[in-house]
């Protein structure tokens, strides 16, 4: 796959106007960007330049395939490269107009809001669901996947690890999620799982079809299934771990698979179209539209291990680290994981940096799944909270990714593995996605 980049849409109003570029942040008066679609930053075979024209009082932007445009609009400058005709993996990007003054909106929908015209095809680009344009042959272990550690942790003293909800994380391109479940029996005897970070309840449950408390705001399974219903060329990886009231393997799985079995027929799909069934690392073509469960353990002893799941993968105990050359009891082979979550900041960065560079040097023939947790906490011992680590580590991670993607790639492209973050940034997510686009899958 040739390189792609996110094209961000920025908004200003009074009147509503739209600006499209390759930067998350923009000038004062324009919103932070959200991904509108993906296009090429440089000309590739078959692509055409998409020119940006400007007009002011107020500032407005027009994108088309012509260097020159109408009176009142500037000569064009190349904004990005797209396609004049539909190519594999691309979709039409429609242009909508409004006037007094003339303004232009570009999106993936023929119809738009009141006050904007019906869309006409302006060009073809790749959809905001970024996995659509990745080769079906790609093993998930070969992709640079952005994810979140303690995905649902937004409540509780010392527990906050995220600012975005799960739905917002999905929209922003994250695809791997760390879900911590507490076994909880309802008044009717049916079991559901509340979501916790240690002792802190996160106002979330795993599923909406089984009992939950009245203060619940979010349902993990519902939000994932709903996202895939509308983005069926994406996939979602859920790391499932028990948190509090840890049950033996049989008790946990009896309740878990009952919840999953109850989803048969969702969106008129059988279970094997909603969830990934095999116990082997999937290729993307076999994972599209599906949730992939990855079961992990804590330090709770052999009887509590979630080994040999009916469906999905088993990673065992991934706390601290997993070294594929020295697999310890309770760990699984073919994993290389950095997860030292109680190191001091400088020590943690040394490990994160070394692990990212180790992944980068891994050749395409490797069957090792690298995962780096860019997350840690030393609260309250030295008052370094998850947000403090994120503020320290994420800029350094962004620098490593940026430097690599600016350099000529290795023959097999760029690979950073799965990167799990607290408080991820759109910039880092975009860089990891760019690395997935760059990799030469075999």
């Amino acid at each position: 796959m040739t390189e792609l980049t996110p094209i961000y849409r920025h908004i200003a109003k009074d009147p509503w106007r739209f600006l499209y570029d390759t930067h998350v942040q923009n000038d004062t008066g324009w919103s932070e960007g959200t991904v509108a679609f993906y296009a090429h930053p440089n000309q590739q075979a078959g692509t055409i330049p998409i020119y940006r024209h400007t007009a002011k009082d107020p500032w407005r932007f027009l994108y088309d395939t012509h260097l020159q445009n109408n009176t009142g609009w500037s000569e064009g400058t190349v904004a990005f490269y797209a396609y004049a005709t539909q190519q594999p993996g691309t979709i039409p990007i429609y242009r909508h107009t409004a006037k007094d003054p003339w303004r232009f909106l570009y999106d993936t929908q023929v119809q738009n809001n009141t006050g904007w015209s019906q869309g006409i095809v302006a060009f073809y680009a790749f959809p905001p669901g970024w996995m659509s344009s990745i080769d079906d042959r790609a093993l998930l272990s070969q992709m640079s996947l952005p994810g979140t550690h303690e995905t649902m942790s937004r409540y509780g003293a010392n527990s906050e690890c995220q600012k975005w909800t799960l739905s917002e994380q999905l929209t922003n391109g994250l695809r791997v999620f760390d879900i911590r479940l507490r076994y909880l029996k309802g008044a009717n005897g049916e079991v559901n799982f509340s979501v916790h970070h240690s002792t802190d309840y996160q106002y979330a449950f795993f599923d909406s079809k089984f009992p939950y408390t009245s203060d619940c705001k979010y349902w993990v399974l519902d939000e994932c299934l709903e996202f895939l219903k509308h983005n069926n060329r994406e996939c979602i990886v859920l790391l499932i771990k028990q948190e509090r009231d840890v049950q033996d393997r049989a008790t946990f799985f009896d309740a878990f698979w009952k919840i999953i079995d109850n989803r048969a027929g969702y969106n008129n799909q059988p279970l094997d179209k909603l969830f990934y069934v095999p116990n082997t690392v999937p290729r993307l073509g076999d994972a599209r539209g599906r949730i992939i469960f990855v079961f992990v353990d804590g330090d709770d002893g052999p009887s509590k291990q979630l080994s040999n799941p009916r469906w999905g993968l088993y990673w065992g105990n991934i706390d601290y680290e997993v070294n594929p050359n020295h697999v310890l009891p309770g760990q699984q082979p073919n994993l290389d994981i950095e997860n030292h979550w109680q190191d001091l900041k400088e020590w943690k960065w040394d490990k994160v940096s070394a692990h990212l560079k180790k992944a980068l040097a891994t050749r395409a023939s490797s069957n090792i799944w690298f995962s780096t947790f860019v997350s840690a906490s030393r609260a309250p011992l030295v008052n370094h909270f998850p947000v403090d680590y994120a503020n320290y580590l994420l800029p350094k991670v962004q620098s490593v990714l940026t430097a690599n993607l600016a350099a000529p790639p290795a023959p097999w492209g760029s690979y950073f593995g799965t990167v799990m973050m607290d408080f991820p940034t759109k910039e880092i997510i975009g860089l990891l996605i760019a690395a997935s686009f760059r990799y030469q899958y075999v």
Side-chain angles (χ1 to χ4, degrees):
M1 168 59 64
T2 53
E3 293 185 43
L4 293 170
T5 190
I7 304 301
Y8 294 98
R9 181 170 65 196
H10 310 268
I11 301 171
K13 52 185 180 178
D14 299 327
W16 286 96
R17 290 158 286 143
F18 300 88
L19 162 63
Y20 299 79
D21 65 16
T22 60
H23 306 292
V24 173
Q25 305 296 339
N26 214 287
D27 295 334
T28 303
W30 293 89
S31 70
E32 181 176 79
T34 58
V35 178
F37 48 86
Y38 288 87
H40 295 283
N42 303 298
Q43 189 149 31
Q44 307 290 335
T47 64
I48 57 172
I50 304 301
Y51 294 99
R52 181 171 70 189
H53 310 268
T54 61
K56 53 185 179 178
D57 297 329
W59 282 103
R60 290 158 286 143
F61 300 89
L62 163 63
Y63 298 80
D64 65 15
T65 60
H66 305 293
L67 179 62
Q68 303 293 340
N69 212 286
N70 296 327
T71 303
W73 293 88
S74 70
E75 180 175 88
T77 58
V78 176
F80 49 86
Y81 293 86
Y83 298 89
T85 58
Q86 192 157 23
Q87 304 297 314
T90 66
I91 58 172
I93 305 299
Y94 295 96
R95 182 174 70 197
H96 310 268
T97 59
K99 52 185 180 178
D100 299 327
W102 283 101
R103 290 158 286 142
F104 300 90
L105 163 62
Y106 299 80
D107 65 16
T108 61
Q109 308 297 319
V110 175
Q111 304 294 341
N112 212 286
N113 297 326
T114 303
W116 294 87
S117 70
Q118 179 171 295
I120 59 171
V121 176
F123 47 84
Y124 294 86
F126 293 92
W130 63 269
M131 287 180 166
S132 296
S133 52
I134 301 291
D135 194 317
D136 276 350
R137 298 172 298 173
L139 287 166
L140 293 197
S141 59
Q142 295 175 323
M143 297 174 64
S144 296
L145 294 172
T148 48
H149 158 259
E150 287 282 6
T151 296
M152 306 298 290
S153 296
R154 300 172 61 240
Y155 302 95
N158 306 341
S159 282
E160 297 91 338
C161 294
Q162 307 300 331
K163 64 180 178 180
W164 295 328
T165 65
L166 175 55
S167 290
E168 290 170 332
Q169 291 177 39
L170 284 161
T171 298
N172 285 319
L174 293 148
R175 293 293 179 266
V176 185
F177 304 103
D178 174 19
I179 305 297
R180 311 295 180 94
L181 299 181
R182 178 189 183 188
Y183 184 95
L184 203 62
K185 190 175 289 189
N188 65 355
E190 295 280 6
V191 174
N192 202 347
F193 298 94
S194 57
V195 181
H196 276 254
H197 182 174
S198 186
T199 59
D200 290 318
Y201 167 55
Q202 297 303 314
Y203 299 94
F205 272 72
F206 187 58
D207 180 71
S208 70
K209 306 300 181 184
F210 283 72
Y212 55 85
T213 55
S214 60
D215 55 356
C216 180
K217 301 177 182 180
Y218 310 101
W219 294 268
V220 173
L221 196 58
D222 296 66
E223 293 181 34
C224 291
L225 289 171
E226 183 67 12
F227 175 82
L228 292 173
K229 176 180 177 180
H230 300 288
N231 299 272
N232 63 7
R233 289 185 58 79
E234 306 295 295
C235 71
I236 294 171
V237 179
L238 294 185
L239 271 60
I240 301 294
K241 183 178 182 181
Q242 295 198 73
E243 191 100 346
R244 295 195 64 191
D245 299 327
V246 176
Q247 305 295 310
D248 65 79
R249 177 186 180 280
T251 301
F252 176 89
F253 274 142
D254 281 349
F256 186 86
W257 296 121
K258 186 174 183 180
I259 288 172
I260 299 307
D261 288 342
N262 190 55
R263 288 299 184 152
Y266 176 86
N267 194 29
N268 298 313
Q269 298 293 319
L271 286 173
D272 64 351
K273 298 295 184 183
L274 301 172
F275 305 99
Y276 178 73
V277 173
N279 302 121
T280 54
V281 176
R283 295 194 182 274
L284 182 56
D286 298 321
R288 294 194 191 278
R290 294 171 174 85
I291 295 171
I292 301 98
F293 295 121
V294 176
F295 295 96
V296 299
D297 302 320
D299 297 324
D300 302 300
S303 67
K304 309 298 174 63
Q305 292 175 345
L306 301 179
S307 57
N308 300 311
R310 188 178 87 186
W311 293 348
L313 310 182
Y314 176 60
W315 280 8
N317 191 331
I318 64 170
D319 279 348
Y320 321 120
E321 67 178 341
V322 180
N323 183 341
N325 297 318
H326 185 55
V327 179
L328 300 176
Q331 298 179 339
Q332 294 297 296
N334 299 326
L335 295 172
D336 198 320
I337 295 177
E338 157 48 34
N339 192 14
H340 288 84
W341 56 274
Q342 285 189 313
D343 274 353
L344 295 174
K345 290 180 181 179
E346 295 81 3
W347 297 355
K348 178 64 177 177
W349 170 242
D350 288 344
K351 292 184 176 70
V352 167
S353 175
H355 204 249
L356 292 174
K357 292 174 182 176
K358 184 179 179 183
L360 187 61
T362 301
R363 293 180 177 271
S365 59
S366 172
N367 62 352
I368 303 297
W369 192 327
F370 281 75
S371 184
T372 305
F373 282 76
V374 187
S375 54
S377 177
R378 292 279 287 183
L381 189 61
V382 292
N383 285 330
H384 287 171
F385 296 89
V387 67
D388 299 313
Y389 278 91
N391 290 338
Y392 175 76
L393 294 170
L394 292 179
K396 294 178 177 292
V397 170
Q398 182 172 331
S399 294
V400 169
L401 301 184
T402 300
N404 173 258
L405 291 170
W412 55 89
S414 297
Y415 171 71
F416 294 100
T418 297
V419 179
M420 306 292 284
M421 297 169 278
D422 289 340
F423 304 101
T425 66
K426 292 181 180 180
E427 289 87 349
I428 292 179
I429 295 168
L431 290 166
L432 289 168
I433 292 170
S436 279
F437 290 146
R438 177 185 279 208
Y439 196 78
Q440 300 300 309
Y441 301 102
V442 294

